[in-house]
Amino acid sequence: MSDYTNGGVIILDFGSQYTQLIARKIRELNVFSRILSHDATLNDIMAYKPKAIILSGGPSSVYKQNAPEYDNDILTVDIPILGICYGLHILAQHSGGSVKSTGQGEYGYAKISITKNTEFLQSDLNGSQVWMSHMDQVIKVPDSWSIIAESSNGVVAAMASGDLNRLATQFHPEVSHTEYGKKMLENFLFKIASCNANWTPDNFIDQQVDLIRKEVGNSNVLIGVSGGVDSSVVAAIMNRAIGDKAKSVLIDHGLMRKNEALDCIHALKDGLGVNIHLEDESDNFLEQLSHITDPEQKRKIIGNQFIYSFESIASRFDNMEYLAQGTLYPDVIESGIGHGKASHVIKSHHNVGGLPKNMKFKLIEPLRELFKDEVRKVGKELGLPDKLINRHPFPGPGLGVRIIGEITSERIAILQEADKIYIDMLESEGLYDEIWQAFAVLIPVQTVGVMGDQRTYENLLGLRAVTSTDGMTADWYRMPPDVLSKISNRIVNSVKGINRVTYDITSKPPGTIEWE
Ligand code: XMP
């Protein structure tokens, strides 16, 4: 087993919207990458023993006051550096070149001419398409550097230092619109920087198992499993690392989808031998939710009861020092924890967000280095079934925020039935994996219908399906009308209590994905 964090890439973040994309593209080439703040010190950077540094783009201008800087010492080490957009500007400025705005930006597609063949940009990339997004440009190349590519608009598209140890592009090789962007990054990683390609799911699992065993010793670890992919993968890794000392619990709040709790237990317990218990807490939840219609109040009740239930379950176990949870890398970056200093996969003595203050666990977050698609690859390697791995996201409050108005057992049962038909049909029509999230919503409106010779007066059901990359923005999914028609017919004909179906065509913004 080789340490996957050695021989990778440190990306210094100057605020580009594409910084995470750089990290992902590098990881797709099986090289470990980590994003640090642009002002990380050389010591912070070297803690990861990187073989390359990448300077991201960013919204600032290098010639303005308070423009973000890097630690100048990075230029004193013999590690190849690639600057992208703002990264090119800052390298140019620090090496005696000059950067200006000519008043005319370059946005979107451009073609490049290769003016000097290098291992980074070989001459067969001549005339290929790249993606530009900049106002400033290099107007004087540093003395010891040369231009290696120009854009079709006459702008310096790429340049290199004499020893090829510093490279920079005005365009963005990390975006898919740059035709040979991946090839360029590959050239940089392997031909220029000799990075290690050891970022693979099996290597990751082996290393985590090793770290967890060393950390945990003889203690027990509690794992809260939600039914989704992240916590299921955590449960499976913990099981592989410490067997029955990992105690997984799935709290059923009565607001899960039909069969969801049992499916998850089955996959983990019967499929992988994970020590997991289903805790049916639905009476506690539903009792407090009775007659509540305000969405915020519902969330609060569900959140608080979750804490009480969790606390009472945890108190039943002895020697329970640790809690493992499925925090992912984007959460770590957003919270700022991953920025600026070398943080470790296992943190200790941490107060767990959302849990009571007096509940002290040491926290284990085995997925805190991973993006979602990487979690799925690890899940597959661990043997989780595809159905669980590819499941759409599901909110913590569950169907509680999809039953508009009052939550009753009867209304939960109606929604569970309708939602199951909807999701099963998306799967059988081969559309499920095209959609980021799909679900049904029970609307507290009754409408008149006719079935056979009978007048009906039943509930209205909303169907929602969206495409998205991260849930922050979303578009409604253009569902083929014949599929919508089949789904609507099936639901109205087989779910007692629903006689009309609508399809939600609101994007986010202005809507949200959930209805409450
Ligand atoms: P919205 O409705 O805010 O949803 O556009 C964006 C994504 O977040 C999920 N979501 C939640 N997840 N607890 C969660 O764990 C919540 O309270 C919650 N509310 C929304 C939603 O399903 C979507 O994927």
Side-chain angles (χ1 to χ4, degrees):
M1 176 179 66
S2 55
D3 182 349
Y4 61 73
T5 60
N6 289 351
V9 178
I10 291 297
I11 299 158
L12 296 183
D13 181 17
F14 289 89
S16 166
Q17 55 176 325
Y18 301 133
T19 303
Q20 284 203 31
L21 201 52
I22 304 173
R24 300 176 71 123
K25 287 283 149 136
I26 290 169
R27 288 169 173 218
E28 279 169 22
L29 294 162
N30 294 337
V31 172
F32 177 73
S33 62
R34 176 174 260 281
I35 300 169
L36 297 181
S37 171
H38 62 87
D39 54 2
T41 65
L42 182 61
N43 271 348
D44 293 336
I45 296 170
M46 295 312 287
Y48 293 96
K49 303 193 180 85
K51 287 218 170 157
I53 298 173
I54 293 185
L55 313 176
S56 83
S60 315
S61 289
V62 282
Y63 45 81
K64 292 214 169 127
Q65 252 198 339
N66 302 325
E69 286 283 348
Y70 50 55
D71 176 356
N72 260 316
D73 287 348
I74 66 169
L75 298 180
T76 64
V77 288
D78 191 31
I79 294 179
I81 300 179
L82 170 65
I84 297 174
C85 201
Y86 185 89
L88 167 133
H89 300 157
I90 193 167
L91 278 175
Q93 169 134 320
H94 279 258
S95 314
S98 156
V99 175
K100 256 196 181 159
S101 166
T102 58
Q104 192 157 9
E106 235 185 346
Y107 293 93
Y109 290 111
K111 292 209 160 164
I112 49 168
S113 342
I114 306 293
T115 50
K116 184 174 176 188
N117 185 47
T118 57
E119 284 201 288
F120 175 53
L121 293 186
Q122 283 150 345
S123 42
D124 56 354
L125 301 183
N126 199 34
S128 69
Q129 193 167 271
V130 297
W131 183 257
M132 294 285 194
S133 178
H134 66 105
M135 204 61 204
D136 295 340
Q137 57 178 272
V138 169
I139 50 157
K140 178 179 174 293
V141 173
D143 282 344
S144 54
W145 292 56
S146 45
I147 299 175
I148 58 172
E150 274 178 359
S151 84
S152 35
N153 303 307
V155 171
V156 174
M159 58 182 210
S161 62
D163 58 3
L164 274 196
N165 217 26
R166 312 275 181 255
L167 294 149
T169 61
Q170 181 60 78
F171 58 85
H172 290 268
E174 71 276 24
V175 307
S176 55
H177 309 290
T178 295
E179 205 175 351
Y180 293 103
K182 191 165 180 185
K183 178 84 199 140
M184 296 168 187
L185 288 173
E186 202 174 341
N187 289 343
F188 174 68
L189 296 181
F190 300 118
K191 293 189 171 155
I192 309 275
S194 308
C195 287
N196 299 340
N198 53 6
W199 177 250
T200 54
D202 55 335
N203 213 350
F204 172 82
I205 294 166
D206 288 349
Q207 206 160 327
Q208 287 303 318
V209 163
D210 201 41
L211 279 170
I212 291 163
R213 283 183 185 153
K214 282 192 186 124
E215 168 75 26
V216 167
N218 275 327
S219 304
N220 290 319
V221 180
L222 186 61
I223 304 132
V225 174
S226 70
V229 58
D230 305 340
S231 57
S232 300
V233 169
V234 171
I237 289 187
M238 295 307 302
N239 176 66
R240 186 171 288 192
I242 56 170
D244 278 357
K245 279 187 286 173
K247 322 271 186 208
S248 294
V249 289
L250 194 159
I251 296 177
D252 182 357
H253 48 26
L255 297 161
M256 299 184 79
R257 288 167 290 196
K258 189 174 177 187
N259 300 341
E260 184 170 30
L262 288 176
D263 282 352
C264 178
I265 297 280
H266 174 70
L268 288 172
K269 194 175 204 159
D270 306 336
L272 300 179
V274 170
N275 173 21
I276 183 165
H277 303 271
L278 179 65
E279 301 282 342
D280 184 356
E281 291 283 300
S282 52
D283 287 349
N284 279 335
F285 281 84
L286 299 185
E287 203 173 291
Q288 290 178 70
L289 286 167
S290 90
H291 305 299
I292 304 293
T293 55
D294 177 67
E296 280 314 302
Q297 228 181 323
K298 283 183 190 172
R299 272 174 202 276
K300 227 173 243 154
I301 289 171
I302 296 170
N304 286 339
Q305 181 54 46
F306 196 84
I307 292 171
Y308 301 140
S309 297
F310 199 79
E311 204 166 19
S312 111
I313 292 163
S315 69
R316 299 206 302 258
F317 295 103
D318 290 331
N319 195 18
M320 187 61 77
E321 264 190 75
Y322 292 87
L323 178 78
Q325 61 179 29
T327 313
L328 302 192
Y329 192 39
D331 310 325
V332 176
I333 300 172
E334 264 154 41
S335 67
I337 300 166
H339 274 176
K341 66 176 178 171
S343 52
H344 296 284
V345 173
I346 297 175
K347 298 183 298 175
S348 24
H349 296 287
H350 191 278
N351 242 335
V352 183
L355 292 179
K357 295 244 180 316
N358 58 3
M359 204 176 181
K360 286 268 166 55
F361 278 115
K362 294 182 196 168
L363 196 61
I364 297 185
E365 296 174 320
L367 311 183
R368 69 198 315 271
E369 290 290 357
L370 304 189
F371 289 107
K372 189 86 174 182
D373 49 333
E374 293 174 323
V375 174
R376 294 196 161 113
K377 284 186 195 147
V378 167
K380 203 165 172 63
E381 183 73 27
L382 286 163
L384 288 171
D386 285 351
K387 199 166 168 181
L388 180 53
I389 290 174
N390 297 323
R391 184 168 283 172
H392 291 170
F394 188 61
L399 301 183
V401 289
R402 294 177 180 171
I403 294 173
I404 315 301
E406 205 179 330
I407 299 170
T408 61
S409 303
E410 190 198 2
R411 300 189 79 218
I412 294 172
I414 292 175
L415 184 59
Q416 282 177 331
E417 279 307 313
D419 190 74
K420 171 126 180 55
I421 292 174
Y422 181 34
I423 299 301
D424 284 352
M425 288 186 76
L426 291 179
E427 274 168 2
S428 63
E429 295 287 335
L431 301 180
Y432 185 82
D433 292 336
E434 272 183 33
I435 296 167
W436 195 76
Q437 196 172 12
F439 54 89
V441 183
L442 191 60
I443 306 168
V445 165
Q446 288 186 301
T447 71
V448 173
V450 55
M451 289 181 88
D453 289 331
Q454 296 281 321
R455 175 186 188 275
T456 60
Y457 189 57
E458 300 283 11
N459 293 286
L460 173 62
L461 187 82
L463 300 180
R464 180 95 163 121
V466 295
T467 53
S468 177
T469 50
D470 52 13
M472 302 300 284
T473 59
D475 196 8
W476 61 278
Y477 175 66
R478 281 17 178 208
M479 181 96 62
D482 58 322
V483 177
L484 273 175
S485 163
K486 276 195 240 174
I487 293 170
S488 161
N489 277 338
R490 262 294 277 291
I491 290 176
V492 170
N493 285 326
S494 46
V495 183
K496 203 165 163 346
I498 290 177
N499 70 347
R500 192 177 295 268
V501 174
T502 61
Y503 188 58
D504 181 352
I505 54 166
T506 319
S507 59
K508 172 185 179 178
T512 52
I513 295 177
E514 303 290 344
W515 276 36
E516 282 196 336

